[in-house]
Amino acid sequence: MKMQRLDKLISAKLNISRSQAKTMIKTGSVTINGTAVLSCDEKCGDTDEVRVDGRLISNDEFVYIMLNKPKDVICASDGKGEKTVVDLVPDDLRVKGLFPAGRLDKDTTGFALITNDGEFAHNILSPKHHIEKTYIATLDKPITDAVIADFEGGMTLGEEKLKSAKLTPLNPDKTEAEVVISQGIYHQIKRMFKKHGLTVLELRRTAIGNLKIDEKLAPGECRAIKNDELQKIRDNSPAT
Ligand code: URA
């Protein structure tokens, strides 16, 4: 973990001089993880919660953003003329090196996670970590028990044997269903249904791990993901 001097962090975050930051520390205005710190030589790491007079001054090397992705926006950092999910990040959350952790199709909506933390992205995407992604699919025809069984059993798509997926009908005519998968191969859900002669008309991602999309976000809106929410994503992994 990268450590940084407390006075340096406070002066950078509050845009004040180092000596002003030192005075704040010496007068007891600063806490690290809830404990008052009086020494200017103290260091803090990326995950420490630093507060000045109660206000959070996090040592946030990494940012994690939840976007309610609208249609017609692509999951890429450089859209080569097309609008990307990164283009939708507002200035107050924008840092260098942002990219989408995983690729939703252009016409898929819902929870897109944008970050600059490559290791975190790798962990949530790697099938080894088994982080579940939950979607709502609208279909042109009803799903049958045979389709549900094939999803559950780990179907074969082309050469590939997929991991078990959960498929739960959500409406009486069985044309809307919740799908939970823990890997992310190209057009996976659309291809899984296609194998059974069904076409996905709409696809919306509603959760990553145990973290549900914030329903207050209108399409195209973003917000920062809080630390306890990141934990809800990690908690879904039996490997952690
Ligand atoms: N599966 C798909 O087919 N498309 C997506 O965007 C995500 C999962």
Side-chain angles (χ1 to χ4, degrees):
M1 180 169 35
K2 201 172 113 199
M3 301 297 281
Q4 184 173 180
R5 274 183 70 100
L6 192 55
D7 54 355
K8 193 170 167 208
L9 172 78
I10 292 169
S11 96
K13 290 284 176 189
L14 299 184
N15 200 18
I16 57 176
S17 68
R18 284 283 273 276
S19 69
Q20 284 171 312
K22 283 180 180 166
T23 306
M24 286 179 149
I25 296 168
K26 285 184 200 144
T27 53
S29 299
V30 180
T31 57
I32 300 182
N33 301 324
T35 305
V37 173
L38 298 172
S39 162
C40 297
D41 297 329
E42 197 72 41
K43 291 197 167 134
C44 55
D46 301 334
T47 56
D48 287 323
E49 189 183 279
V50 178
R51 287 179 187 268
V52 175
D53 293 327
R55 184 177 147 204
L56 186 63
I57 308 288
S58 55
N59 191 7
D60 45 4
E61 189 190 353
F62 293 126
V63 296
Y64 308 90
I65 296 163
M66 176 192 288
L67 164 71
N68 184 1
K69 179 189 171 304
K71 282 189 184 175
D72 297 327
V73 172
I74 62 167
C75 273
S77 314
D78 177 4
K80 302 188 171 72
E82 292 202 76
K83 189 167 225 168
T84 74
V85 288
V86 175
D87 293 334
L88 295 176
V89 176
D91 285 348
D92 60 332
L93 293 175
R94 187 174 286 277
V95 293
K96 277 204 196 119
L98 288 177
F99 63 92
R103 283 177 192 271
L104 296 176
D105 297 336
K106 191 171 170 179
D107 60 354
T108 298
T109 59
F111 190 169
L113 197 153
I114 300 163
T115 183
N116 55 351
D117 182 347
E119 192 181 338
F120 177 82
H122 171 77
N123 287 342
I124 65 166
L125 297 174
S126 157
K128 211 174 73 193
H129 286 82
H130 197 83
I131 305 276
E132 292 177 335
K133 321 291 180 314
T134 305
Y135 295 82
I136 306 286
T138 308
L139 303 151
D140 65 337
K141 288 193 282 282
I143 54 172
T144 61
D145 290 347
V147 180
I148 296 173
D150 199 25
F151 272 58
E152 286 259 343
M155 73 168 66
T156 305
L157 262 190
E159 301 278 280
E160 195 156 2
K161 169 90 174 137
L162 301 186
K163 287 170 172 273
S164 171
K166 282 178 234 154
L167 178 58
T168 314
L170 294 176
N171 61 347
D173 69 2
K174 299 191 177 174
T175 52
E176 196 171 76
E178 184 184 82
V179 187
V180 183
I181 56 175
S182 58
Q183 59 197 124
I185 64 169
Y186 187 60
H187 293 329
Q188 180 170 338
I189 292 175
K190 289 175 184 162
R191 288 167 60 208
M192 289 169 87
F193 281 114
K194 200 79 211 159
K195 185 184 165 199
H196 290 275
L198 283 94
T199 300
V200 174
L201 304 177
E202 299 275 339
L203 190 62
R204 174 172 170 75
R205 182 152 75 187
T206 55
I208 300 178
N210 295 327
L211 181 62
K212 294 197 176 111
I213 189 165
D214 183 340
E215 295 295 345
K216 290 196 283 295
L217 292 176
E221 278 184 359
C222 292
R223 73 159 173 79
I225 298 176
K226 302 179 200 115
N227 278 344
D228 59 327
E229 292 179 323
L230 281 180
Q231 199 50 43
K232 283 190 181 176
I233 296 178
R234 296 191 183 104
D235 282 349
N236 186 232
S237 167
T240 54

